[in-house]
Amino acid sequence: MPRIPTGLQSRVMSAEKAGQLITSGMTLGMSGFTLVGYPKALPEALVASGHAKDLTVCTGASVGDDMDGVMAKAGIIKRRYSYQSNKSMRTLINEGSIGYIDMHLSHVPTFVNRRMGGIHIDAAIIECAAVTEEGLIPAASMGASDAFVRMADKVIIELNETIPLDIIGMHDVFDIGVPPNARPIPITHPLDRVGVNFIPCPPEKIAAIVVTQLPDKSPAFAEPTEVSRVIGRHIIKFLQSEVAAGRMPENLLPLQSGVGSVANAVLQAFADSGFRDLTMYTETFQDSALELLDQGIILGATTCAVSFSANLQKHFYDNLAAYREKLILRSQELSNSPELIRRLGLVSMNTPIEVDIYGNVNSTHIAGSTVMNGIGGSGDFTRNASLNIFATESVGKAGAISCVVPMVSHVDHTEHDTQIIVTEQGVADLRWKTPRERAELLIEKCAHPDYRPMLRDYVTQAAKTAKGQHTPHDLSQALSWHQRFLATGSMK
Amino acid sequence: MPRIPTGLQSRVMSAEKAGQLITSGMTLGMSGFTLVGYPKALPEALVASGHAKDLTVCTGASVGDDMDGVMAKAGIIKRRYSYQSNKSMRTLINEGSIGYIDMHLSHVPTFVNRRMGGIHIDAAIIECAAVTEEGLIPAASMGASDAFVRMADKVIIELNETIPLDIIGMHDVFDIGVPPNARPIPITHPLDRVGVNFIPCPPEKIAAIVVTQLPDKSPAFAEPTEVSRVIGRHIIKFLQSEVAAGRMPENLLPLQSGVGSVANAVLQAFADSGFRDLTMYTETFQDSALELLDQGIILGATTCAVSFSANLQKHFYDNLAAYREKLILRSQELSNSPELIRRLGLVSMNTPIEVDIYGNVNSTHIAGSTVMNGIGGSGDFTRNASLNIFATESVGKAGAISCVVPMVSHVDHTEHDTQIIVTEQGVADLRWKTPRERAELLIEKCAHPDYRPMLRDYVTQAAKTAKGQHTPHDLSQALSWHQRFLATGSMK
């Protein structure tokens, strides 16, 4: 099939001309999720032209430097919504030059569809593999593109000719509807298809089609360290004990695995775990997941994006027709849906920045003030999973930072939400544990031995000074480790 | 119909004898939610006998003093799960004598059904209006009773003869199932009935039936103060503006209203609001909600409990057959279900202890260490509602405490979750606002004028000292207001 039907050929234009459809102050809903499937030509054209400023850019999640980095550095973004992981963008956010709103990923399409708080998408800019009279065939991610297209005044398509047309049929797009007319999502297995394989869009809404051959900048994953291998083995052993206790099927429940190198390394540990016939229900599908799929250890997955390093990306696209049977690309409204995460009973695995002795988790901020990336989907998954795991090395910056602290400097996941904390030191199972029991477990099982005496001292001091002994804190010292780190570069 | 079928008459026994079925160290799943529908005879019998110690007591939510207070003071409870609001229980928890685990209410039945973390219910003790060969007709609350009965080794029934049998048909019990076999909940309107009107239970599992005539200790609601009336009017005006903007139907979306006097007062404001044909989807149905139902302003509701003061309780029971058409009592697995809260698009209204300048909400702790009640369902509703509102007076303890602080001493709802904060001073709409915009709104719209200069000073100082300007905090001063309160009794 042609990538563009005859009736829409007239909308084909240069990125420069399409960029003229964007004007200052607009809110743009742009495709992209975990560094793939984002527009690449429009950002460059907008930066080159410079006519459109003060833009609000809303995406599903993280996009490449050729979008976020380029636009941020050019100073044309005023506000950035929902998630980012770009160095230049992060710098400008933390300088206070770009306003950033860090959201649960499941909220983004839901709030856009419901016009929550008056959000209005002036234009959707969506990378696609093809377009039809019925709608759009997205590229390597779904993100919140379905909501953006549905609610936008106009749609600009970046039609990427490097994406094989075999991707047609990999997507599954389902319109939940808006209250009071929202409907149940009829998914009961990660591989259930319940919708259509395109994003519905009336042809008259398509304002421009820009043809590109610009590939996704493939993410790079660090080689697993010995420490991350140990963490992976702890998780496998813990899951085996859950199966042995009869609390989890032998092929577990659908896995969710977070973004980045640690998550990638943890997933690698499943390769020689003995687990078989696994499924995934996750927001991103990275290198190690594809390897597990090739090995037959994972039978199939729902994901919001396929995000591979260069070699595996080529392998994936070369074998797209086969993968189409095993992978479903869904909008983050479904991949991160509390309804589905709870129903399917996921095992979620995410990476914290730090955890405190009572099990509160910080996923976003350094020393309370500086945002790193964002909460992403970790809140959607953690709150609703059957079993949630946070895995991290026990120390950072060559031991200068403890990942177990008296009180986290920013809370993204509360004590009510967290269950299993894993470091290379061991596993703390916080389920059905009181705050003081949690403190003991986290210190003795997860904290680095260098920091245990200091943590024990804090617990002793807090018990002496606190009026209430349910969650004893010494407020004069609770954040002192972060203060010391800011002053000296070390928590020690 | 008889309250006890012939085939089960042999199980009728005294509370003393039934109490002998409970032994030390057992985990008990007991009925009760927002002070109604809890066992009253068994607690007294267990305390009188004293043979069973070190009990773990798990309930749906709060129960009366004749259960929690009596058992706590007798020293027979070692651990208490999920929610409490009892003075004696709270005292012992904060002394460190009773271990308390404060959970999202939606998690309780789900985790019990899935045996999460190895939880096992040795005995369920459930207050009922009647029992049949098929199962139990619960009393004034559903709580997590369905899960407790399903998973318990044995079931002890307190059959309360003061509950009119007209209650039969008011309950709606639906078994979601356990992953990988959990199923969609087919509710798309608050008044949809999808299950059976009893808790299924094989007769052989019923170990004892204790007949009682002990009424629920009715909760008392404080008369609305002028301040709470102003808060109520702010909320009405805000909701009217949402309707005017076309973002909400004229009869709004289903309302959820929290527990206690402030929530009760806020709901009263709907009486002369002009709103009509409202529905509720909520965990508790209190006095003002019943008044709105009688006035025809609320058409009907799903609730997990009906919790009225003495006069209204009598009125309710006298007219039970009529109310049965308009009220559905469901398990907290459904009343607090993220799936349903998101699908129905609730407007949630809850009461915080304090909120910080970035919109993090503390619902549970005083000065970080002392727990008050618990998070209850506020997390379930806040995270998944279409619109969430936290309403509180701007100051407490005659002005000695500001409810807007630099940093909350405990986080129950994160900045990612909260939307609308209301005090008698005004409304802060935090939707699509950056952290620094939130700070300005919360200070200028919600904080008490007495505290605004101090809050502005903190913001200025934080901007000067913080390395990152996304969420600027001065960690040396962030918790100083609570420290000052602990030292002097005032935040000033």
Side-chain angles (χ1 to χ4, degrees), chain B residues 257-386:
Chain B
S257 172
V259 176
S261 293
V262 173
N264 198 55
V266 165
L267 214 49
Q268 282 191 343
F270 283 83
D272 49 9
S273 66
F275 284 122
R276 285 287 177 280
D277 300 336
L278 304 177
T279 57
M280 291 189 78
Y281 196 89
T282 190
E283 63 185 13
T284 190
F285 201 77
Q286 301 183 150
D287 281 15
S288 49
L290 191 65
E291 285 157 7
L292 293 173
L293 193 71
D294 285 347
Q295 291 158 15
I297 294 172
I298 292 177
L299 297 180
T302 276
T303 181
C304 191
V306 281
S307 184
F308 308 121
S309 61
N311 280 348
L312 276 191
Q313 193 183 74
K314 182 177 184 313
H315 168 74
F316 175 73
Y317 283 137
D318 287 348
N319 297 279
L320 203 45
Y323 285 125
R324 214 170 48 203
E325 307 301 312
K326 299 175 183 171
L327 282 176
I328 301 179
L329 276 164
R330 299 192 215 258
S331 160
Q332 67 203 73
E333 194 171 23
L334 270 70
S335 67
N336 289 44
S337 155
E339 169 176 346
L340 299 176
I341 295 166
R342 205 166 281 216
R343 182 183 305 149
L344 298 175
L346 266 51
V347 175
S348 77
M349 298 179 285
N350 291 285
T351 312
I353 289 175
E354 60 183 7
V355 52
D356 72 26
I357 55 172
Y358 297 123
N360 298 287
V361 162
N362 172 13
S363 297
T364 58
H365 281 68
I366 304 297
S369 303
T370 303
V371 71
M372 283 300 291
N373 299 334
I375 190 168
S378 59
D380 299 320
F381 292 109
T382 297
R383 172 75 65 85
N384 296 294
S386 266

Side-chain angles (χ1 to χ4, degrees), chain A residues 356-359 404 430 434-445 455 459:
Chain A
D356 72 25
I357 55 172
Y358 297 123
V404 182
L430 308 181
T434 66
R436 286 180 298 143
E437 290 167 344
R438 291 174 157 225
E440 183 170 349
L441 280 171
L442 282 161
I443 295 169
E444 305 307 331
K445 302 273 190 187
L455 287 164
V459 166

Side-chain angles (χ1 to χ4, degrees), chain B residues 90-105:
Chain B
R90 181 189 305 137
T91 300
L92 289 160
I93 290 167
N94 284 310
E95 286 175 9
S97 313
I98 293 178
Y100 175 46
I101 298 167
D102 176 17
M103 299 169 64
H104 297 296
L105 297 190

Side-chain angles (χ1 to χ4, degrees), chain B residues 82-400:
Chain B
S82 109
Y83 187 84
Q84 60 76 36
S85 67
N86 181 265
K87 197 179 167 185
S88 305
M89 179 68 74
R90 181 189 305 137
T91 300
L92 289 160
I93 290 167
N94 284 310
E95 286 175 9
S97 313
I98 293 178
Y100 175 46
I101 298 167
D102 176 17
M103 299 169 64
H104 297 296
L105 297 190
S106 72
H107 277 169
V108 183
T110 302
F111 288 174
V112 167
N113 284 330
R114 298 180 186 186
R115 298 191 294 128
M116 191 279 278
I119 180 90
H120 177 74
I121 305 293
D122 295 300
I125 308 178
I126 311 293
E127 191 182 55
C128 294
V131 56
T132 74
E133 299 283 355
E134 292 181 301
L136 284 55
I137 309 291
S141 67
M142 272 293 300
S145 297
D146 53 343
F148 295 151
V149 168
R150 183 180 298 118
M151 302 306 289
D153 292 336
K154 57 190 167 199
V155 175
I156 297 172
I157 292 169
E158 280 202 17
L159 194 130
N160 190 330
E161 293 181 334
T162 72
I163 310 289
L165 284 176
D166 278 341
I167 203 167
I168 297 173
M170 185 170 275
H171 305 87
D172 186 46
V173 182
F174 178 83
D175 182 5
I176 295 171
V178 170
N181 301 310
R183 46 184 185 146
I185 309 169
I187 292 173
T188 57
H189 183 279
L191 293 180
D192 284 348
R193 287 187 174 277
V194 297
V196 294
N197 65 20
F198 57 90
I199 297 175
C201 181
E204 58 274 18
K205 206 164 166 177
I206 298 175
I209 300 172
V210 177
V211 178
T212 78
Q213 293 86 25
L214 301 166
D216 288 312
K217 292 272 184 293
S218 331
F221 298 101
E223 270 300 297
T225 61
E226 180 51 29
V227 169
S228 61
R229 277 191 233 274
V230 173
I231 292 172
R233 286 197 292 269
H234 283 321
I235 292 176
I236 296 298
K237 203 172 158 191
F238 173 78
L239 291 173
Q240 286 167 340
S241 73
E242 287 289 300
V243 172
R247 289 198 290 266
M248 188 82 59
E250 284 193 8
N251 67 337
L252 302 176
L253 288 163
L255 304 177
Q256 176 265 331
S257 172
V259 176
S261 293
V262 173
N264 198 55
V266 165
L267 214 49
Q268 282 191 343
F270 283 83
D272 49 9
S273 66
F275 284 122
R276 285 287 177 280
D277 300 336
L278 304 177
T279 57
M280 291 189 78
Y281 196 89
T282 190
E283 63 185 13
T284 190
F285 201 77
Q286 301 183 150
D287 281 15
S288 49
L290 191 65
E291 285 157 7
L292 293 173
L293 193 71
D294 285 347
Q295 291 158 15
I297 294 172
I298 292 177
L299 297 180
T302 276
T303 181
C304 191
V306 281
S307 184
F308 308 121
S309 61
N311 280 348
L312 276 191
Q313 193 183 74
K314 182 177 184 313
H315 168 74
F316 175 73
Y317 283 137
D318 287 348
N319 297 279
L320 203 45
Y323 285 125
R324 214 170 48 203
E325 307 301 312
K326 299 175 183 171
L327 282 176
I328 301 179
L329 276 164
R330 299 192 215 258
S331 160
Q332 67 203 73
E333 194 171 23
L334 270 70
S335 67
N336 289 44
S337 155
E339 169 176 346
L340 299 176
I341 295 166
R342 205 166 281 216
R343 182 183 305 149
L344 298 175
L346 266 51
V347 175
S348 77
M349 298 179 285
N350 291 285
T351 312
I353 289 175
E354 60 183 7
V355 52
D356 72 26
I357 55 172
Y358 297 123
N360 298 287
V361 162
N362 172 13
S363 297
T364 58
H365 281 68
I366 304 297
S369 303
T370 303
V371 71
M372 283 300 291
N373 299 334
I375 190 168
S378 59
D380 299 320
F381 292 109
T382 297
R383 172 75 65 85
N384 296 294
S386 266
L387 185 69
N388 71 60
I389 299 171
F390 282 95
T392 178
E393 301 189 16
S394 68
V395 288
K397 288 196 184 284

Side-chain angles (χ1 to χ4, degrees), chain B residues 397-415:
Chain B
K397 288 196 184 284
I401 292 176
S402 173
C403 295
V404 182
V405 294
M407 178 185 269
V408 289
S409 61
H410 190 274
V411 177
D412 296 290
H413 310 284
T414 74
E415 54 152 327

